[in-house]
Amino acid sequence: MSAPTGERPRRPSPVASARPQRRPRKPPPQPFTLLGLVGLAAFTLVTAWDWVLGIGFNPIALPGELADSNPAMVEGLFNITDADWRADYAELLRTHFTDPDSPWLLSLDSRIGSGLVETVQIAVLATLVGAAVSLPLAVLNSRLGAPNRTTHAVIKTLNNINRAIPDVIWAALFVVLVSVGALPGILALTMFTIGVVVKLTSDVVDGVDLGPVEAARAAGASHAAAMRTALVPQILPSFASFSLYAFELNLRGAAVLGFVGAGGIGQAMNYYWSQLDFEAVSVIIFVYLVLVVIVEQVSISVRRRLV
Amino acid sequence: MTETRSRPARSRLAEQVRPERPFARFRWTVTLVLTALLVWSSATVDASWGRLTEAPGRAVGFAQTLVANASLEPLGVALEAMWESIAIAWIATLIGAVCSFPLVFLAAGNLTRGRVKQPVRQLLNVFRAVPEIVLAIALIPFLGLGPVTGAVAMGISSIGTLGKLSAEIVESIDRGPLEAVEASGGGRLTRLRWAVLPQAMPEIAAFWLYRFEINIRVSAVLGVIGIGGIGGFIAQAVERNVFERIGLGLVVVILATMLVDAISSRLRRRLIEGPSPAAQARRERASVAGAEHEEDPE
Amino acid sequence: MIQFESAEVTYPGGVHALQGVDLTIDDGELIVVVGLSGAGKSTLIRAINGLVPLTGGQVTVGERTLPGLGRRELRELRAEVGMIFQAFNLVHRTTVLSNVLMGRLHHVPSWRSLSGLYSPEDREIAMQALELVEVVEKAYVRAGNLSGGQQQRVGIARALAQQPRVLLADEPVASLDPPTSHVVMRYLQQINRELGITTLINLHFLDLARTYADRVIGLREGRLVYDGPAADADEAVFEEIYGRSLTADDVLEAQGGL
Ligand SMILES: Nc1ncnc2c1ncn2[C@@H]1O[C@H](COP(=O)(O)OP(=O)(O)O)[C@@H](O)[C@H]1O
Ligand SMILES: [Mg+2]
């Protein structure tokens, strides 16, 4: 982190007028750096080693393990190196895109088709509802926007708890409360959206221009009115961008919900996986991936224009 | 008073033309599109909205059951599962950091030409685009179902995000030092070592830590497909109504995640802002101790 | 009438920004407050609308006396006192009209301010305020797209939309070039004359102070060191206020020649 010092000549300064100066000793290395490096190395060894506290991750053996695969599964999922398989797969995709009698066709009421549509619906609803709730919460979650310290502390703690609960766990809990289907998925991703958008947006609040807020206060505005007119317009583009970002994340997150009964494409994935129908899983992965990539591209280009 | 003020005498007021209120096309478009999406989704989605009204009552009941069944007995298993999630996340972050690092300098526009940059960026984008769960499923035939599968899947994903964001950090560095090293005859590696890394490394490292925080959540999510860790622990407990495990699992995952977040965000701040002024002053005092002459102020 | 009685402001850091200030301002006066940077001009002005709390003494504005106002009364006071800022303090991303409507915030019910659906009456008041400073044709333009002088006129319009009894201007021309400074000062003077609004303006330039003020108040290190008609405030007086001989930086006209 220090600038290059280079070799200094060991002779007395050629500039006669320079006053005599004492060179400082090189400071000892930063304890933070040293401790940090040792700590991280130890943590890595503990977590990577194959023992009670580690997951047994061996980067040297990994290529060997990758090569030693389960042929039946690979056959089904993707045997991309095999030209015949590729041709079969293309044919498979083609028929499933076009053949109305296929059981897991992309017709919208097939298991896969409806799963995909439901995934999009879950993501859309969770993003809209979550974002709408997030805007006022984000204002309250900032030092500037909270009417008092207690509100700030309470909102912050609640949102930290919310963010600490992974979205599938939210989904599992909501399945208990409202039973299986798309509803628990929507609720779970709404919580997730709130966590992401509130956190990111309230970080932006601390960087806004305080002048307009002062002007609103000087005009006798109430706290809420000052925030609405002087603060919200300033954070709106970031908020919109974060909401779109949350939508991308929700679309990805929605795939996993089905594994706990909370609807979406994950349900179909889970079903065919349990049937050992790897080809079906493969088709799901393929179409879902296309959907994710398209939505992401659109979202990214919109976001770039926003901020 | 109001009357006199809203009726100024000057004739210049008469000459001004008030503009028409323009049609807010952007605002209307956004409103319409969002409303349409909302209506379409909520009307066609297969969700039993009526159940929402029962949810609060059920939530209270569920919470009471959790409290009634509260027990520290499964603490050992829960902690073990949580630790596994953390370990998976850490290994994944390391994979992402180590593999993305060399790519960063190829993907940064101020260090390489577009011919190199574009394909590397595309590669990173591919890694980033594939959802972790898809990667994990795709890896199962090779690695089986276990923590290593999760770590590798999340690691690949992390390569994408870390690579892209680190490259953006490198692109935002100050050009001055780059030119200075070049002007003193430094080559490519010299430039990296003395001009790029000193500027970008703290932020990149901070970003690794941030990714670690995210990966802890992802590893919990992947738990439900069976890679292990706290996610699977809680999901199974919910499925089988093992209430003491649900309650304790939630407590453990919340506390552990918040703890790791707190530590990590402090480390990140320390990385980006450097040592506290007090600590810095102490070190400097130690290093010039004994010097009779003060250092030149300039 | 505005009345300072032994007003004191000590900031948390221990700076005595205002010390024992006694001052009476009659309705309709145009007062320019001068003093070096750090003399306490902003503090004096902000003490009037309670943006800076007093730590001693009191300030009476009309029938209200600071300190000791409840939150509600303080907001009522602020609604009657318009403020103009050096940095304009506009929301750049919204329209000029929305910015001016901020001056109505105290008068509109919260459902209107929160939804942005202001009544036609409030819009009319805002439009008239814009006409007073002759920027009404920019009403639907983004405030950030205006020039500095135009932005300050919008700032004035926002204060006028409050229909205030008092206008406070904290270095309103410090971010503007000399010709624009005169334009803005002339608007403030006209508003004072035509609408009879008591006006306090912080300034640094002595020629501007002498040209536009009825009465000049000099501050040095938080104390009132001069209070008299603008006509009497000659260079000797300014040297007394500043505690040093005058330089080109103290005269606006000299700036243009640089
Ligand atoms: N918020 C504040 N906290 C602490 N000290 C302040 C604050 N605002 C102003 N001061 C100090 O009070 C003194 C007067 O400030 P100010 O009223 O802004 O002077 P002026 O407007 O004449 O430049 C200065 O010494 C300034 O540093
Ligand atoms: Mg000032």
Side-chain angles (χ1 to χ4, degrees):
Chain A
M1 241 125 286
S2 60
T5 44
E7 277 296 296
R8 286 245 216 120
R10 288 261 163 239
R11 312 172 260 121
S13 169
V15 185
S17 64
R19 45 192 183 82
Q21 296 157 51
R22 172 76 64 94
R23 292 180 185 176
R25 271 185 283 123
K26 186 175 196 259
Q30 305 235 358
F32 175 79
T33 320
L34 272 182
L35 279 177
L37 287 178
V38 172
L40 295 189
F43 191 48
T44 306
L45 276 180
V46 170
T47 50
W49 213 259
D50 194 4
W51 65 316
V52 264
L53 294 180
I55 63 171
F57 173 75
N58 184 348
I60 299 157
L62 194 63
E65 285 174 40
L66 283 173
D68 175 26
S69 58
N70 177 334
M73 283 184 168
V74 174
E75 186 73 25
L77 272 179
F78 38 49
N79 203 351
I80 303 168
T81 46
D82 182 344
D84 286 347
W85 184 89
R86 279 205 306 271
D88 284 354
Y89 194 76
E91 178 60 23
L92 194 78
L93 278 176
R94 202 183 56 72
T95 47
H96 289 298
F97 269 110
T98 50
D99 178 5
D101 299 326
S102 161
W104 30 275
L105 163 80
L106 290 166
S107 98
L108 291 187
D109 38 51
S110 69
R111 202 182 281 271
I112 297 181
S114 64
L116 270 180
V117 172
E118 190 169 80
T119 296
V120 175
Q121 289 169 326
I122 291 175
V124 165
L125 285 170
T127 312
L128 285 175
V129 177
V133 180
S134 293
L135 188 59
L137 283 180
V139 173
L140 293 175
N141 192 38
S142 68
R143 204 172 298 177
L144 173 68
N148 53 53
R149 271 179 209 196
T150 322
T151 317
H152 184 199
V154 168
I155 301 265
K156 207 169 191 89
T157 311
L158 284 181
N159 199 42
N160 278 341
I161 292 177
N162 171 23
R163 290 191 326 117
I165 302 178
D167 48 9
V168 240
I169 303 300
W170 271 126
L173 292 175
F174 279 122
V175 167
V176 175
L177 299 186
V178 298
S179 169
V180 293
L183 187 57
I186 296 167
L187 294 175
L189 289 185
T190 302
M191 297 307 286
F192 175 75
T193 308
I194 293 173
V196 172
V197 178
V198 168
K199 170 94 181 359
L200 293 174
T201 310
S202 62
D203 285 348
V204 176
V205 173
D206 292 325
V208 298
D209 178 8
L210 294 178
V213 179
E214 191 186 24
R217 294 209 172 118
S222 66
H223 179 75
M227 292 303 124
R228 166 65 183 81
T229 52
L231 175 68
V232 168
Q234 294 191 60
I235 60 173
L236 215 50
S238 310
F239 164 75
S241 168
F242 295 143
S243 300
L244 272 173
Y245 173 62
F247 180 63
E248 292 167 35
L249 294 179
N250 281 339
L251 200 58
R252 295 148 164 273
V256 102
L257 297 174
F259 285 81
V260 293
I265 188 68
Q267 217 145 347
M269 229 188 263
N270 199 14
Y271 171 81
Y272 289 113
W273 190 265
S274 60
Q275 303 284 307
L276 302 182
D277 187 345
F278 302 119
E279 280 189 342
V281 174
S282 177
V283 169
I284 292 177
I285 289 183
F286 182 83
V287 213
Y288 174 56
L289 209 55
V290 172
L291 177 74
V292 167
V293 170
I294 291 175
V295 169
E296 198 182 70
Q297 289 310 312
V298 174
S299 170
I300 286 180
S301 70
V302 175
R303 281 201 279 141
R304 199 170 294 144
R305 239 160 278 174
L306 274 176
V307 192
Chain B
M1 198 149 199
T2 313
E3 282 65 39
T4 52
R5 251 179 278 119
S6 51
R7 240 166 254 301
R10 303 279 266 181
S11 59
R12 62 184 152 93
L13 302 192
E15 294 157 23
Q16 298 180 57
V17 183
R18 287 189 190 178
E20 285 276 311
R21 188 177 192 174
F23 178 67
R25 196 170 55 187
F26 179 73
R27 189 173 297 184
W28 278 108
T29 317
V30 171
T31 313
L32 277 179
V33 169
L34 292 186
T35 313
L37 273 174
L38 183 68
V39 170
W40 167 71
S41 300
S42 51
T44 56
V45 75
D46 183 21
S48 330
W49 297 109
R51 297 215 187 102
L52 269 182
T53 52
E54 303 157 24
R58 285 218 206 178
V60 172
F62 185 62
Q64 280 166 348
T65 319
L66 288 188
V67 173
N69 286 282
S71 151
L72 280 181
E73 186 256 303
L75 184 63
V77 214
L79 284 179
E80 211 173 294
M82 187 67 229
W83 177 262
E84 190 169 48
S85 285
I86 295 178
I88 294 171
W90 179 251
I91 299 299
T93 311
L94 270 187
I95 296 175
V98 170
C99 299
S100 69
F101 197 60
L103 296 177
V104 167
F105 306 99
L106 298 175
N110 53 345
L111 300 181
T112 43
R113 264 162 251 173
R115 237 179 316 131
V116 185
K117 177 192 155 178
Q118 284 314 326
V120 179
R121 279 277 165 117
Q122 286 313 322
L123 181 73
L124 293 174
N125 275 339
V126 170
F127 286 155
R128 219 167 45 88
V130 187
E132 284 94 350
I133 182 163
V134 167
L135 283 168
I137 290 180
L139 280 170
I140 291 174
F142 304 99
L143 296 174
L145 197 53
V148 175
T149 316
V152 174
M154 287 159 55
I156 295 174
S157 229
S158 301
I159 297 175
T161 44
L162 289 177
K164 174 163 182 283
L165 287 156
S166 306
E168 276 161 17
I169 292 171
V170 168
E171 282 178 352
S172 72
I173 63 169
D174 181 9
R175 272 209 78 77
L178 266 181
E179 283 167 7
V181 174
E182 233 166 308
S184 56
R188 197 169 264 270
L189 281 179
T190 328
R191 258 187 335 211
L192 277 189
R193 171 66 186 85
W194 295 112
V196 179
L197 285 189
Q199 291 190 67
M201 205 52 221
E203 274 188 66
I204 293 181
F207 218 87
W208 291 348
L209 277 175
Y210 182 59
R211 188 69 214 176
F212 174 52
E213 292 169 41
I214 295 179
N215 276 345
I216 289 187
R217 295 167 167 84
V218 180
S219 76
V221 168
L222 290 190
V224 299
I225 65 159
I227 66 156
I230 192 76
F233 176 88
I234 300 178
Q236 277 173 21
V238 173
E239 205 173 336
R240 294 173 200 161
N241 284 330
V242 195
F243 293 108
E244 62 268 26
R245 285 197 168 207
I246 303 176
L248 196 68
L250 283 175
V251 172
V252 166
V253 78
I254 290 171
L255 290 184
T257 312
M258 285 170 71
L259 181 71
V260 173
D261 280 6
I263 297 174
S264 168
S265 71
R266 286 191 71 162
L267 287 179
R268 283 192 282 133
R269 192 170 324 140
R270 172 62 178 74
L271 275 170
I272 289 182
E273 290 171 9
S276 71
Q280 189 68 27
R282 225 177 302 121
R283 279 162 41 79
E284 270 164 25
R285 241 178 289 124
S287 95
V288 293
E292 291 133 344
H293 306 283
E294 273 187 23
E295 279 224 81
D296 249 357
E298 293 306 306
Chain C
M1 199 174 72
I2 301 171
Q3 197 159 17
F4 284 72
E5 285 164 79
S6 332
E8 308 262 343
V9 171
T10 306
Y11 282 110
V15 180
H16 300 291
L18 231 49
Q19 314 189 42
V21 172
D22 288 299
L23 179 66
T24 304
I25 298 162
D26 287 322
D27 285 343
E29 277 194 284
L30 196 165
I31 294 187
V32 166
V33 185
V34 294
L36 288 177
S37 164
K41 304 183 296 293
S42 301
T43 310
L44 180 88
I45 269 201
R46 276 154 206 263
I48 295 176
N49 63 0
L51 279 184
V52 169
L54 292 173
T55 52
Q58 58 183 46
V59 176
T60 307
V61 186
E63 53 278 10
R64 296 192 181 80
T65 300
L66 288 159
L69 291 185
R71 272 230 297 248
R72 213 192 151 75
E73 292 167 302
L74 185 61
R75 292 212 276 122
E76 280 166 8
L77 166 70
R78 287 177 178 172
E80 289 179 14
V81 179
M83 191 159 188
I84 295 153
F85 303 84
Q86 172 179 346
F88 322 136
N89 289 5
L90 302 183
V91 184
H92 289 201
R93 288 187 32 79
T94 54
T95 61
V96 163
L97 187 64
S98 301
N99 272 283
V100 177
L101 281 165
M102 281 172 75
R104 302 302 306 155
L105 284 179
H106 182 73
H107 305 272
V108 304
S110 41
W111 71 267
R112 282 197 181 275
S113 61
L114 293 185
S115 63
L117 298 170
Y118 293 90
S119 69
E121 294 76 35
D122 287 320
R123 292 175 163 273
E124 177 61 28
I125 292 171
M127 281 293 190
Q128 286 183 4
L130 281 170
E131 281 167 346
L132 265 172
V133 287
E134 296 176 296
V135 278
V136 77
E137 78 275 9
K138 301 285 185 192
Y140 296 105
V141 176
R142 267 170 68 129
N145 292 349
L146 266 52
S147 71
Q150 289 170 330
Q151 289 198 23
Q152 192 56 298
R153 279 145 71 191
V154 175
I156 296 174
R158 178 177 57 194
L160 286 179
Q162 288 175 233
Q163 300 183 319
R165 303 208 296 188
V166 179
L167 262 189
L168 308 173
D170 194 358
E171 311 230 13
V173 297
S175 311
L176 303 174
D177 57 46
T180 317
S181 297
H182 279 291
V183 171
V184 166
M185 287 304 295
R186 243 175 268 133
Y187 278 118
L188 288 173
Q189 195 181 36
Q190 271 168 3
I191 286 160
N192 169 260
R193 298 271 153 82
E194 292 173 13
L195 306 180
I197 303 176
T198 315
T199 305
L200 266 94
I201 307 173
N202 282 349
L203 279 182
H204 181 79
F205 302 115
L206 58 94
D207 49 341
L208 280 185
R210 270 203 303 241
T211 311
Y212 295 100
D214 300 332
R215 176 178 164 196
V216 169
I217 283 171
L219 280 181
R220 195 163 96 201
E221 290 170 4
R223 294 184 189 281
L224 205 76
V225 294
Y226 179 81
D227 182 356
D232 295 354
D234 54 18
E235 304 205 345
V237 166
F238 277 94
E239 295 194 343
E240 171 68 25
I241 297 171
Y242 289 178
R244 58 164 171 74
S245 49
L246 298 176
T247 66
D249 284 344
D250 301 325
V251 185
L252 179 71
E253 290 315 316
Q255 311 292 302
L258 286 182

